PDB file of all heavy atoms in Angstrom:
ATOM      1  N   ASP N   1     126.684 -42.806 176.093  1.00 98.00           N
ATOM      2  CA  ASP N   1     127.893 -42.892 175.298  1.00 98.00           C
ATOM      3  C   ASP N   1     128.845 -43.813 176.049  1.00 98.00           C
ATOM      4  O   ASP N   1     129.481 -43.386 177.021  1.00 98.00           O
ATOM      5  CB  ASP N   1     128.496 -41.500 175.097  1.00 98.00           C
ATOM      6  CG  ASP N   1     129.700 -41.499 174.167  1.00 98.00           C
ATOM      7  OD1 ASP N   1     130.338 -42.558 174.017  1.00 98.00           O
ATOM      8  OD2 ASP N   1     130.003 -40.436 173.610  1.00 98.00           O
ATOM      9  N   ASN N   2     128.909 -45.056 175.627  1.00 97.00           N
ATOM     10  CA  ASN N   2     129.728 -46.031 176.350  1.00 97.00           C
ATOM     11  C   ASN N   2     131.218 -45.705 176.258  1.00 97.00           C
ATOM     12  O   ASN N   2     131.989 -46.059 177.145  1.00 97.00           O
ATOM     13  CB  ASN N   2     129.461 -47.427 175.825  1.00 97.00           C
ATOM     14  CG  ASN N   2     128.096 -47.950 176.217  1.00 97.00           C
ATOM     15  OD1 ASN N   2     127.479 -47.445 177.167  1.00 97.00           O
ATOM     16  ND2 ASN N   2     127.607 -48.935 175.488  1.00 97.00           N
ATOM     17  N   ALA N   3     131.637 -45.024 175.200  1.00 97.00           N
ATOM     18  CA  ALA N   3     133.046 -44.644 175.064  1.00 97.00           C
ATOM     19  C   ALA N   3     133.440 -43.599 176.102  1.00 97.00           C
ATOM     20  O   ALA N   3     134.607 -43.516 176.497  1.00 97.00           O
ATOM     21  CB  ALA N   3     133.314 -44.122 173.665  1.00 97.00           C
ATOM     22  N   LYS N   4     132.465 -42.807 176.544  1.00 98.00           N
ATOM     23  CA  LYS N   4     132.732 -41.762 177.537  1.00 98.00           C
ATOM     24  C   LYS N   4     132.209 -42.118 178.915  1.00 98.00           C
ATOM     25  O   LYS N   4     132.288 -41.307 179.836  1.00 98.00           O
ATOM     26  CB  LYS N   4     132.112 -40.438 177.083  1.00 98.00           C
ATOM     27  CG  LYS N   4     132.721 -39.884 175.809  1.00 98.00           C
ATOM     28  CD  LYS N   4     132.090 -38.548 175.447  1.00 98.00           C
ATOM     29  CE  LYS N   4     132.747 -37.957 174.196  1.00 98.00           C
ATOM     30  NZ  LYS N   4     132.125 -36.656 173.822  1.00 98.00           N
ATOM     31  N   ASN N   5     131.642 -43.320 179.066  1.00 98.00           N
ATOM     32  CA  ASN N   5     131.071 -43.743 180.354  1.00 98.00           C
ATOM     33  C   ASN N   5     130.084 -42.707 180.891  1.00 98.00           C
ATOM     34  O   ASN N   5     130.073 -42.402 182.090  1.00 98.00           O
ATOM     35  CB  ASN N   5     132.177 -43.996 181.388  1.00 98.00           C
ATOM     36  CG  ASN N   5     132.971 -45.250 181.114  1.00 98.00           C
ATOM     37  OD1 ASN N   5     132.699 -45.967 180.151  1.00 98.00           O
ATOM     38  ND2 ASN N   5     133.964 -45.515 181.932  1.00 98.00           N
ATOM     39  N   THR N   6     129.247 -42.202 179.998  1.00 98.00           N
ATOM     40  CA  THR N   6     128.360 -41.104 180.376  1.00 98.00           C
ATOM     41  C   THR N   6     126.944 -41.369 179.863  1.00 98.00           C
ATOM     42  O   THR N   6     126.754 -41.871 178.749  1.00 98.00           O
ATOM     43  CB  THR N   6     128.878 -39.769 179.800  1.00 98.00           C
ATOM     44  OG1 THR N   6     130.189 -39.516 180.327  1.00 98.00           O
ATOM     45  CG2 THR N   6     127.965 -38.615 180.178  1.00 98.00           C
ATOM     46  N   VAL N   7     125.989 -41.014 180.707  1.00 98.00           N
ATOM     47  CA  VAL N   7     124.582 -41.056 180.325  1.00 98.00           C
ATOM     48  C   VAL N   7     124.044 -39.625 180.381  1.00 98.00           C
ATOM     49  O   VAL N   7     124.455 -38.836 181.233  1.00 98.00           O
ATOM     50  CB  VAL N   7     123.770 -42.008 181.229  1.00 98.00           C
ATOM     51  CG1 VAL N   7     123.786 -41.567 182.686  1.00 98.00           C
ATOM     52  CG2 VAL N   7     122.342 -42.161 180.722  1.00 98.00           C
ATOM     53  N   TYR N   8     123.151 -39.329 179.455  1.00 98.00           N
ATOM     54  CA  TYR N   8     122.607 -37.974 179.333  1.00 98.00           C
ATOM     55  C   TYR N   8     121.095 -37.990 179.486  1.00 98.00           C
ATOM     56  O   TYR N   8     120.436 -38.997 179.221  1.00 98.00           O
ATOM     57  CB  TYR N   8     122.950 -37.396 177.962  1.00 98.00           C
ATOM     58  CG  TYR N   8     124.430 -37.387 177.629  1.00 98.00           C
ATOM     59  CD1 TYR N   8     124.995 -38.403 176.870  1.00 98.00           C
ATOM     60  CD2 TYR N   8     125.252 -36.360 178.097  1.00 98.00           C
ATOM     61  CE1 TYR N   8     126.355 -38.401 176.578  1.00 98.00           C
ATOM     62  CE2 TYR N   8     126.604 -36.352 177.798  1.00 98.00           C
ATOM     63  CZ  TYR N   8     127.156 -37.370 177.034  1.00 98.00           C
ATOM     64  OH  TYR N   8     128.498 -37.368 176.748  1.00 98.00           O
ATOM     65  N   LEU N   9     120.562 -36.852 179.883  1.00 98.00           N
ATOM     66  CA  LEU N   9     119.125 -36.636 179.872  1.00 98.00           C
ATOM     67  C   LEU N   9     118.883 -35.268 179.261  1.00 98.00           C
ATOM     68  O   LEU N   9     119.170 -34.246 179.889  1.00 98.00           O
ATOM     69  CB  LEU N   9     118.523 -36.713 181.277  1.00 98.00           C
ATOM     70  CG  LEU N   9     117.005 -36.621 181.318  1.00 98.00           C
ATOM     71  CD1 LEU N   9     116.371 -37.865 180.684  1.00 98.00           C
ATOM     72  CD2 LEU N   9     116.504 -36.452 182.758  1.00 98.00           C
ATOM     73  N   GLN N  10     118.383 -35.267 178.044  1.00 98.00           N
ATOM     74  CA  GLN N  10     118.008 -34.027 177.383  1.00 98.00           C
ATOM     75  C   GLN N  10     116.581 -33.706 177.775  1.00 98.00           C
ATOM     76  O   GLN N  10     115.668 -34.514 177.559  1.00 98.00           O
ATOM     77  CB  GLN N  10     118.125 -34.163 175.863  1.00 98.00           C
ATOM     78  CG  GLN N  10     117.694 -32.934 175.106  1.00 98.00           C
ATOM     79  CD  GLN N  10     118.608 -31.748 175.318  1.00 98.00           C
ATOM     80  OE1 GLN N  10     119.824 -31.874 175.299  1.00 98.00           O
ATOM     81  NE2 GLN N  10     118.013 -30.577 175.530  1.00 98.00           N
ATOM     82  N   MET N  11     116.388 -32.538 178.361  1.00 98.00           N
ATOM     83  CA  MET N  11     115.072 -32.142 178.858  1.00 98.00           C
ATOM     84  C   MET N  11     114.618 -30.895 178.114  1.00 98.00           C
ATOM     85  O   MET N  11     115.259 -29.841 178.216  1.00 98.00           O
ATOM     86  CB  MET N  11     115.135 -31.868 180.361  1.00 98.00           C
ATOM     87  CG  MET N  11     115.673 -33.040 181.162  1.00 98.00           C
ATOM     88  SD  MET N  11     115.594 -32.784 182.955  1.00 98.00           S
ATOM     89  CE  MET N  11     116.736 -31.418 183.135  1.00 98.00           C
ATOM     90  N   ASN N  12     113.538 -31.034 177.375  1.00 98.00           N
ATOM     91  CA  ASN N  12     112.971 -29.925 176.618  1.00 98.00           C
ATOM     92  C   ASN N  12     111.577 -29.586 177.141  1.00 98.00           C
ATOM     93  O   ASN N  12     110.967 -30.379 177.856  1.00 98.00           O
ATOM     94  CB  ASN N  12     112.893 -30.282 175.137  1.00 98.00           C
ATOM     95  CG  ASN N  12     114.240 -30.564 174.512  1.00 98.00           C
ATOM     96  OD1 ASN N  12     115.255 -29.983 174.908  1.00 98.00           O
ATOM     97  ND2 ASN N  12     114.273 -31.457 173.549  1.00 98.00           N
ATOM     98  N   SER N  13     111.100 -28.424 176.764  1.00 98.00           N
ATOM     99  CA  SER N  13     109.750 -27.984 177.157  1.00 98.00           C
ATOM    100  C   SER N  13     109.540 -28.168 178.652  1.00 98.00           C
ATOM    101  O   SER N  13     108.518 -28.711 179.099  1.00 98.00           O
ATOM    102  CB  SER N  13     108.690 -28.759 176.371  1.00 98.00           C
ATOM    103  OG  SER N  13     108.867 -28.597 174.984  1.00 98.00           O
ATOM    104  N   LEU N  14     110.480 -27.710 179.425  1.00 98.00           N
ATOM    105  CA  LEU N  14     110.431 -27.915 180.875  1.00 98.00           C
ATOM    106  C   LEU N  14     109.260 -27.179 181.500  1.00 98.00           C
ATOM    107  O   LEU N  14     108.876 -26.080 181.073  1.00 98.00           O
ATOM    108  CB  LEU N  14     111.741 -27.483 181.505  1.00 98.00           C
ATOM    109  CG  LEU N  14     112.872 -28.505 181.328  1.00 98.00           C
ATOM    110  CD1 LEU N  14     114.239 -27.858 181.547  1.00 98.00           C
ATOM    111  CD2 LEU N  14     112.684 -29.667 182.293  1.00 98.00           C
ATOM    112  N   LYS N  15     108.713 -27.814 182.528  1.00 98.00           N
ATOM    113  CA  LYS N  15     107.556 -27.283 183.252  1.00 98.00           C
ATOM    114  C   LYS N  15     107.937 -27.083 184.718  1.00 98.00           C
ATOM    115  O   LYS N  15     108.841 -27.763 185.226  1.00 98.00           O
ATOM    116  CB  LYS N  15     106.393 -28.275 183.164  1.00 98.00           C
ATOM    117  CG  LYS N  15     105.980 -28.648 181.755  1.00 98.00           C
ATOM    118  CD  LYS N  15     104.896 -29.713 181.788  1.00 98.00           C
ATOM    119  CE  LYS N  15     104.472 -30.126 180.376  1.00 98.00           C
ATOM    120  NZ  LYS N  15     103.413 -31.166 180.414  1.00 98.00           N
ATOM    121  N   PRO N  16     107.230 -26.212 185.411  1.00 97.00           N
ATOM    122  CA  PRO N  16     107.527 -26.036 186.851  1.00 97.00           C
ATOM    123  C   PRO N  16     107.457 -27.353 187.629  1.00 97.00           C
ATOM    124  O   PRO N  16     108.224 -27.537 188.578  1.00 97.00           O
ATOM    125  CB  PRO N  16     106.444 -25.052 187.304  1.00 97.00           C
ATOM    126  CG  PRO N  16     106.147 -24.252 186.072  1.00 97.00           C
ATOM    127  CD  PRO N  16     106.263 -25.227 184.939  1.00 97.00           C
ATOM    128  N   GLU N  17     106.591 -28.245 187.227  1.00 96.00           N
ATOM    129  CA  GLU N  17     106.472 -29.525 187.939  1.00 96.00           C
ATOM    130  C   GLU N  17     107.654 -30.468 187.693  1.00 96.00           C
ATOM    131  O   GLU N  17     107.741 -31.531 188.305  1.00 96.00           O
ATOM    132  CB  GLU N  17     105.153 -30.235 187.582  1.00 96.00           C
ATOM    133  CG  GLU N  17     104.884 -30.384 186.100  1.00 96.00           C
ATOM    134  CD  GLU N  17     103.978 -29.275 185.569  1.00 96.00           C
ATOM    135  OE1 GLU N  17     104.164 -28.096 185.950  1.00 96.00           O
ATOM    136  OE2 GLU N  17     103.076 -29.612 184.758  1.00 96.00           O
ATOM    137  N   ASP N  18     108.557 -30.094 186.806  1.00 98.00           N
ATOM    138  CA  ASP N  18     109.791 -30.856 186.627  1.00 98.00           C
ATOM    139  C   ASP N  18     110.849 -30.476 187.666  1.00 98.00           C
ATOM    140  O   ASP N  18     111.906 -31.112 187.726  1.00 98.00           O
ATOM    141  CB  ASP N  18     110.370 -30.624 185.225  1.00 98.00           C
ATOM    142  CG  ASP N  18     109.471 -31.157 184.124  1.00 98.00           C
ATOM    143  OD1 ASP N  18     108.920 -32.263 184.278  1.00 98.00           O
ATOM    144  OD2 ASP N  18     109.313 -30.451 183.105  1.00 98.00           O
ATOM    145  N   THR N  19     110.576 -29.474 188.455  1.00 98.00           N
ATOM    146  CA  THR N  19     111.515 -29.047 189.485  1.00 98.00           C
ATOM    147  C   THR N  19     111.748 -30.166 190.492  1.00 98.00           C
ATOM    148  O   THR N  19     110.801 -30.706 191.062  1.00 98.00           O
ATOM    149  CB  THR N  19     110.980 -27.805 190.212  1.00 98.00           C
ATOM    150  OG1 THR N  19     110.910 -26.716 189.283  1.00 98.00           O
ATOM    151  CG2 THR N  19     111.881 -27.427 191.376  1.00 98.00           C
ATOM    152  N   ALA N  20     113.000 -30.521 190.672  1.00 98.00           N
ATOM    153  CA  ALA N  20     113.354 -31.625 191.560  1.00 98.00           C
ATOM    154  C   ALA N  20     114.872 -31.761 191.602  1.00 98.00           C
ATOM    155  O   ALA N  20     115.582 -31.124 190.817  1.00 98.00           O
ATOM    156  CB  ALA N  20     112.745 -32.932 191.080  1.00 98.00           C
ATOM    157  N   VAL N  21     115.331 -32.598 192.506  1.00 98.00           N
ATOM    158  CA  VAL N  21     116.720 -33.061 192.445  1.00 98.00           C
ATOM    159  C   VAL N  21     116.734 -34.303 191.565  1.00 98.00           C
ATOM    160  O   VAL N  21     115.949 -35.230 191.774  1.00 98.00           O
ATOM    161  CB  VAL N  21     117.271 -33.382 193.841  1.00 98.00           C
ATOM    162  CG1 VAL N  21     118.707 -33.909 193.736  1.00 98.00           C
ATOM    163  CG2 VAL N  21     117.226 -32.144 194.727  1.00 98.00           C
ATOM    164  N   TYR N  22     117.612 -34.301 190.575  1.00 98.00           N
ATOM    165  CA  TYR N  22     117.706 -35.405 189.627  1.00 98.00           C
ATOM    166  C   TYR N  22     118.922 -36.262 189.970  1.00 98.00           C
ATOM    167  O   TYR N  22     120.037 -35.743 190.137  1.00 98.00           O
ATOM    168  CB  TYR N  22     117.813 -34.869 188.205  1.00 98.00           C
ATOM    169  CG  TYR N  22     116.491 -34.395 187.664  1.00 98.00           C
ATOM    170  CD1 TYR N  22     115.894 -33.239 188.173  1.00 98.00           C
ATOM    171  CD2 TYR N  22     115.808 -35.099 186.678  1.00 98.00           C
ATOM    172  CE1 TYR N  22     114.661 -32.804 187.704  1.00 98.00           C
ATOM    173  CE2 TYR N  22     114.576 -34.666 186.201  1.00 98.00           C
ATOM    174  CZ  TYR N  22     114.014 -33.525 186.725  1.00 98.00           C
ATOM    175  OH  TYR N  22     112.790 -33.099 186.261  1.00 98.00           O
ATOM    176  N   TYR N  23     118.690 -37.559 190.048  1.00 98.00           N
ATOM    177  CA  TYR N  23     119.722 -38.510 190.436  1.00 98.00           C
ATOM    178  C   TYR N  23     120.012 -39.491 189.312  1.00 98.00           C
ATOM    179  O   TYR N  23     119.090 -39.995 188.659  1.00 98.00           O
ATOM    180  CB  TYR N  23     119.284 -39.309 191.660  1.00 98.00           C
ATOM    181  CG  TYR N  23     119.064 -38.493 192.905  1.00 98.00           C
ATOM    182  CD1 TYR N  23     117.816 -37.960 193.212  1.00 98.00           C
ATOM    183  CD2 TYR N  23     120.112 -38.270 193.798  1.00 98.00           C
ATOM    184  CE1 TYR N  23     117.612 -37.212 194.362  1.00 98.00           C
ATOM    185  CE2 TYR N  23     119.912 -37.527 194.952  1.00 98.00           C
ATOM    186  CZ  TYR N  23     118.661 -37.007 195.226  1.00 98.00           C
ATOM    187  OH  TYR N  23     118.466 -36.269 196.368  1.00 98.00           O
ATOM    188  N   CYS N  24     121.262 -39.792 189.148  1.00 98.00           N
ATOM    189  CA  CYS N  24     121.712 -40.812 188.213  1.00 98.00           C
ATOM    190  C   CYS N  24     121.783 -42.158 188.941  1.00 98.00           C
ATOM    191  O   CYS N  24     122.177 -42.213 190.114  1.00 98.00           O
ATOM    192  CB  CYS N  24     123.091 -40.408 187.689  1.00 98.00           C
ATOM    193  SG  CYS N  24     123.859 -41.560 186.553  1.00 98.00           S
ATOM    194  N   ASN N  25     121.404 -43.212 188.255  1.00 98.00           N
ATOM    195  CA  ASN N  25     121.392 -44.553 188.828  1.00 98.00           C
ATOM    196  C   ASN N  25     122.031 -45.535 187.855  1.00 98.00           C
ATOM    197  O   ASN N  25     121.790 -45.463 186.653  1.00 98.00           O
ATOM    198  CB  ASN N  25     119.946 -44.961 189.119  1.00 98.00           C
ATOM    199  CG  ASN N  25     119.820 -46.399 189.545  1.00 98.00           C
ATOM    200  OD1 ASN N  25     119.671 -47.309 188.732  1.00 98.00           O
ATOM    201  ND2 ASN N  25     119.859 -46.624 190.840  1.00 98.00           N
ATOM    202  N   ALA N  26     122.860 -46.411 188.394  1.00 98.00           N
ATOM    203  CA  ALA N  26     123.466 -47.488 187.607  1.00 98.00           C
ATOM    204  C   ALA N  26     123.057 -48.812 188.235  1.00 98.00           C
ATOM    205  O   ALA N  26     123.179 -48.986 189.459  1.00 98.00           O
ATOM    206  CB  ALA N  26     124.982 -47.359 187.592  1.00 98.00           C
ATOM    207  N   ARG N  27     122.576 -49.727 187.414  1.00 97.00           N
ATOM    208  CA  ARG N  27     122.045 -50.974 187.977  1.00 97.00           C
ATOM    209  C   ARG N  27     122.470 -52.163 187.131  1.00 97.00           C
ATOM    210  O   ARG N  27     122.299 -52.170 185.904  1.00 97.00           O
ATOM    211  CB  ARG N  27     120.530 -50.887 188.064  1.00 97.00           C
ATOM    212  CG  ARG N  27     119.856 -52.128 188.616  1.00 97.00           C
ATOM    213  CD  ARG N  27     118.384 -51.826 188.890  1.00 97.00           C
ATOM    214  NE  ARG N  27     117.750 -51.168 187.759  1.00 97.00           N
ATOM    215  CZ  ARG N  27     117.248 -51.801 186.720  1.00 97.00           C
ATOM    216  NH1 ARG N  27     117.327 -53.110 186.647  1.00 97.00           N
ATOM    217  NH2 ARG N  27     116.671 -51.136 185.729  1.00 97.00           N
ATOM    218  N   ASN N  28     123.038 -53.151 187.843  1.00 95.00           N
ATOM    219  CA  ASN N  28     123.294 -54.452 187.237  1.00 95.00           C
ATOM    220  C   ASN N  28     122.997 -55.434 188.357  1.00 95.00           C
ATOM    221  O   ASN N  28     121.867 -55.468 188.859  1.00 95.00           O
ATOM    222  CB  ASN N  28     124.726 -54.524 186.701  1.00 95.00           C
ATOM    223  CG  ASN N  28     124.955 -55.733 185.808  1.00 95.00           C
ATOM    224  OD1 ASN N  28     124.299 -56.755 185.976  1.00 95.00           O
ATOM    225  ND2 ASN N  28     125.840 -55.627 184.855  1.00 95.00           N
ATOM    226  N   PHE N  29     123.960 -56.210 188.795  1.00 91.00           N
ATOM    227  CA  PHE N  29     123.726 -56.998 189.998  1.00 91.00           C
ATOM    228  C   PHE N  29     123.984 -56.150 191.236  1.00 91.00           C
ATOM    229  O   PHE N  29     123.613 -56.517 192.341  1.00 91.00           O
ATOM    230  CB  PHE N  29     124.613 -58.250 189.995  1.00 91.00           C
ATOM    231  CG  PHE N  29     126.070 -57.978 189.895  1.00 91.00           C
ATOM    232  CD1 PHE N  29     126.842 -57.840 191.039  1.00 91.00           C
ATOM    233  CD2 PHE N  29     126.676 -57.858 188.665  1.00 91.00           C
ATOM    234  CE1 PHE N  29     128.190 -57.584 190.955  1.00 91.00           C
ATOM    235  CE2 PHE N  29     128.030 -57.608 188.556  1.00 91.00           C
ATOM    236  CZ  PHE N  29     128.792 -57.462 189.701  1.00 91.00           C
TER     237      PHE N  29
END
């Protein structure tokens, strides 16, 4: 949502192997 300067990750049907620390990344130059 560029108006809110926010990125989302909707995660469904989660599995034990999805367990982790999740990091947000922004990349341009």
Side-chain angles (χ1 to χ4, degrees):
D1 185 337
N2 289 341
K4 296 182 177 179
N5 288 359
T6 300
V7 62
Y8 304 97
L9 185 68
Q10 177 67 44
M11 304 186 295
N12 299 328
S13 302
L14 282 161
K15 304 176 181 180
E17 51 263 42
D18 295 318
T19 295
V21 178
Y22 283 70
Y23 297 91
C24 178
N25 172 271
R27 179 170 48 84
N28 192 331
F29 58 92

